[in-house]
């Protein structure tokens, strides 16, 4: 049965994305994406260990290093943590959790638009949607943002979205105990894999797709077409990430489990436990050979990925730390306390808060990407049924989208597309209006 499920996850080389984009855009997307898919995604993350590698390494990427907390400064004062920093710093997202082949979007507008009524039938005011609306309300710069598709089928929270490189299938995991596979050409659901438990996380790491369930991880290798079930005691698997050949899982009981990959089709039988958190581990990210874990105990722990020792405990949030992401030499953390914190290393080797941004509501999820000019953008969903797009490092609001319920999952796609999955089970596909990405 497991092998059958794995075969369902096989990929095709067609790279077109949703016919609703139109033939011209579809051809442009396919042509550009074919070129980008040849670039090594691990090289983009600065962690490719293959020599030679069958994918392209155009330039040597700059490794993520936490060097100085004093680079991120307010233009008016060197001591402020509550005002936007200057616009000279251009950080780069380091993403081992998101698909790094898909980190550019076609956006040239940088100014927050005024809240306007997008659809006359929605009867919205100040960009806030009526509960009876059948359409999603959005504004995005002065060019606008279009919702090009809605994928209906899940009945509960969407907890993970994966668009593998070179695939024409989109995968979505949900708390309705299922994984749905969508055809990107037709927008139709082509397969459903049912679980016995809710899906707490769905991520892609290399050739693997991991689904975090209660007390286990189900994994499919797209290259070898094999399926693996990895026992993971500790309750629900809330987060999954990987560094080189080591798999990490954030557990409901506060532990982090790790396994060594023994081949392209298996992992070690015994898990190593990383203990320290007193609340559920909700988010994981790897950067600079460190594993960062956000927890319901309101702390972030920093682990050495080689020794698996906890090196730092970061305090400062007053709510669950729901999301962490690395951006160049900085760590970003989002919390239900309605703040986004930026952390950087000091000369003494400590990691300290160097900036704080007050969000509109509790933070649920992060995703990072870059626009056509390589400017970094942080996508942040909050408990206000919306996703805010911030220019970095200024935290100026570039745009917003609103959905019917809270967005629990965000994923970036090719040519400016990004996907949101909400608590109602709806997956929405968004496309920025404007010039094509180069």
């Amino acid at each position: 049965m497991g092998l059958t499920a794995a075969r369902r996850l096989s990929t095709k080389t067609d790279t077109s994305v949703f016919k609703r984009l139109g033939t011209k855009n579809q051809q442009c997307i396919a042509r550009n994406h074919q070129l980008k898919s040849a670039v090594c995604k691990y090289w983009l993350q600065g962690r490719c260990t293959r020599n030679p590698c069958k994918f392209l390494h155009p330039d040597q990427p700059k490794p993520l290093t936490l060097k100085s907390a004093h680079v991120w400064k307010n233009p008016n004062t060197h001591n402020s943590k509550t005002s936007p920093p200057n616009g000279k710093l251009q950080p780069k997202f380091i993403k081992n959790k998101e698909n790094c082949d898909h980190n550019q979007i076609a956006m040239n507008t940088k100014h927050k638009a005024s809240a306007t009524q997008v659809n006359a039938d929605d009867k919205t005011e100040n960009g806030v949607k009526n509960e009876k609306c059948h359409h999603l309300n959005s504004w995005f710069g002065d060019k606008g943002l279009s919702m090009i598709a809605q994928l209906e089928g899940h009945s509960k929270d969407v907890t993970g979205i994966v668009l593998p490189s070179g695939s024409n299938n989109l995968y979505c995991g949900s708390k309705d105990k299922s994984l749905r596979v969508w055809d990107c050409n037709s927008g139709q659901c082509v397969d459903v894999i049912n679980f016995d438990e809710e899906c707490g996380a769905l991520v892609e790491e290399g050739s693997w797709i991991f689904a975090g369930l209660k007390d286990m991880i189900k994994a499919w290798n797209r290259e070898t077409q094999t399926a693996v079930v990895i026992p993971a005691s500790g309750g629900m698997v809330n987060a999954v990430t990987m560094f080189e050949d080591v798999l990490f899982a954030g557990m409901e009981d506060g532990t982090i489990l790790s396994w060594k990959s023994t081949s392209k089709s298996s992992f070690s039988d015994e898990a190593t436990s990383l203990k320290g958190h007193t609340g559920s581990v909700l988010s994981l990210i790897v950067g600079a050979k460190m594993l960062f874990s956000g927890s319901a105990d309101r702390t972030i722990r920093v682990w050495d990925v080689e020794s698996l020792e906890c090196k730092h405990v970061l305090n400062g949030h007053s709510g669950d730390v729901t999301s962490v992401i690395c951006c160049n030499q900085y760590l970003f953390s989002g919390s239900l306390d309605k703040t986004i914190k930026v952390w950087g290393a000091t000369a003494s080797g400590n990691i300290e808060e160097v900036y704080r941004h007050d969000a509109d509501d509790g933070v649920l999820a992060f995703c990072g990407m870059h626009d056509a000019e390589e400017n970094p953008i942080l996508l942040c969903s909050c408990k206000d049924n919306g996703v805010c797009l911030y220019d970095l490092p200024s935290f100026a609001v570039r745009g917003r989208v609103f959905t019917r319920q809270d967005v629990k999952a965000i994923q970036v796609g090719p040519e400016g597309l990004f996907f949101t999955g909400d608590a109602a089970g709806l997956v929405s596909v968004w496309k920025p209006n404007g010039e094509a990405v180069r």
Side-chain angles (χ1 to χ4, degrees):
M1 180 64 69
L3 185 59
T4 301
R7 285 174 178 163
R8 291 175 181 169
L9 292 172
S10 61
T11 61
K12 301 178 182 179
T13 56
D14 183 14
T15 57
S16 58
V17 180
F18 296 107
K19 289 182 177 179
R20 303 179 201 189
L21 288 173
T23 303
K24 182 176 180 181
N25 284 337
Q26 201 174 53
Q27 292 173 348
C28 179
I29 289 172
R31 182 172 61 253
N32 289 328
H33 185 58
Q34 286 171 355
L35 294 175
K36 290 182 181 179
S37 64
V39 177
C40 176
K41 66 186 294 182
Y42 295 101
W43 167 86
L44 289 172
Q45 301 166 25
R47 61 188 184 97
C48 180
T49 58
R50 294 182 179 180
N51 187 15
C53 179
K54 64 181 180 179
F55 297 104
L56 295 178
H57 290 198
D59 297 300
Q60 183 63 33
K62 295 181 179 179
L64 181 146
T65 55
L66 293 171
K67 291 183 178 180
S68 172
H70 304 293
V71 178
W72 196 289
K73 296 176 182 177
N74 181 273
N76 300 316
T77 172
H78 290 179
N79 299 317
S80 173
K81 291 184 179 180
T82 58
S83 301
N86 63 41
K88 296 181 180 180
L89 179 66
Q90 293 297 330
K92 297 290 184 180
F93 282 100
I94 306 296
K95 297 182 286 183
N96 65 304
K97 191 172 182 180
E98 286 88 23
N99 188 349
C100 286
D101 291 335
H102 304 149
N103 65 358
Q104 292 187 349
I105 63 172
M107 291 183 255
N108 295 318
T109 61
K110 296 185 179 181
H111 301 290
K112 178 178 177 180
S114 59
T116 56
Q117 182 174 335
V118 176
N119 190 312
D121 296 331
D122 289 346
K123 298 181 180 180
T124 60
E125 294 182 2
N126 297 324
V128 179
K129 178 183 63 58
N130 185 307
E131 288 298 323
K132 297 182 180 180
C133 291
H134 298 292
H135 303 281
L136 298 183
N137 180 29
S138 69
W139 74 83
F140 190 83
D142 58 9
K143 294 289 186 179
L145 181 139
S146 302
M147 186 192 66
I148 62 172
Q150 285 185 315
L151 309 180
E152 298 181 348
H154 285 300
S155 58
K156 292 185 178 180
D157 305 40
V158 175
T159 53
I161 302 172
V162 168
L163 180 62
S165 176
S167 172
N168 68 339
N169 287 333
L170 182 76
Y171 305 92
C172 301
S174 170
K175 286 188 176 181
D176 65 7
K177 303 181 181 180
S178 74
L179 185 157
R180 286 182 173 266
V181 184
W182 306 87
D183 183 273
C184 293
N185 298 310
S186 63
Q188 299 298 311
C189 181
V190 296
D191 204 356
V192 179
I193 299 174
N194 293 308
F195 303 130
D196 294 329
E197 302 288 345
E198 294 181 349
C199 180
L202 184 72
V203 302
E204 179 200 15
E205 292 289 348
S207 60
W208 290 97
I209 293 178
F210 297 101
L213 310 175
K214 183 178 180 180
D215 293 322
M216 73 172 68
I217 298 172
K218 287 195 173 182
W220 299 267
N221 190 298
R222 298 186 297 117
E223 289 183 0
T224 61
Q225 296 297 290
T226 55
V228 179
V229 176
I230 306 171
S233 61
M236 179 62 69
V237 178
N238 296 315
V240 179
T241 193
M242 201 168 182
F243 175 74
E244 295 181 348
D245 59 350
V246 180
L247 175 68
F248 297 97
M251 307 302 298
E252 183 180 6
D253 68 357
T255 62
I256 299 172
L257 300 179
S258 70
W259 299 264
K260 186 87 168 177
S261 174
T262 56
S263 69
K264 287 188 176 182
S265 59
S266 64
F267 289 84
S268 56
D269 294 332
E270 295 296 326
T272 301
S273 296
L274 287 67
K275 296 184 178 181
H277 283 298
T278 58
S280 297
V281 177
L282 304 176
S283 51
L284 295 172
I285 193 72
V286 174
K289 292 189 176 181
M290 291 183 286
L291 172 69
F292 302 92
S293 56
S295 170
D297 66 10
R298 306 178 180 182
T299 70
I300 302 163
R301 285 184 173 260
V302 185
W303 312 81
D304 186 291
V305 295
E306 295 177 345
S307 67
L308 302 184
E309 296 179 355
C310 182
K311 298 296 186 181
H312 305 277
V313 179
L314 310 183
N315 296 286
H317 283 295
S318 59
D320 297 7
V321 181
T322 55
S323 190
V324 288
I325 191 171
C326 291
C327 184
N328 203 15
Q329 66 263 47
Y330 299 106
L331 172 72
F332 288 66
S333 61
S335 170
L336 294 182
D337 65 8
K338 303 182 182 181
T339 67
I340 300 170
K341 292 183 182 292
V342 184
W343 307 83
T346 64
S348 62
N350 294 322
I351 299 178
E352 297 180 352
E353 177 188 337
V354 297
Y355 179 72
R356 187 195 76 211
H357 176 78
D358 293 325
D360 293 333
D361 212 320
V363 175
L364 297 175
F366 281 159
C367 189
M369 59 185 181
H370 300 87
D371 66 10
E373 285 74 39
E374 296 293 332
N375 299 308
I377 300 171
L378 179 68
L379 287 79
C380 174
S381 67
C382 293
K383 291 180 66 65
D384 58 0
N385 296 10
V387 178
C388 189
L389 290 86
Y390 294 108
D391 278 323
L392 295 181
S394 66
F395 271 95
V397 177
R398 176 177 286 215
R400 298 177 188 265
V401 297
F402 290 97
T403 58
R404 297 175 188 173
Q405 294 196 31
D406 291 341
V407 170
K408 302 295 185 68
I410 313 173
Q411 178 60 284
V412 178
E415 302 303 320
L417 295 181
F418 67 90
F419 307 85
T420 59
D422 66 25
L426 183 67
V427 177
S428 301
V429 188
W430 303 88
K431 176 181 180 294
N433 300 328
E435 300 176 2
V437 67
R438 53 184 173 82

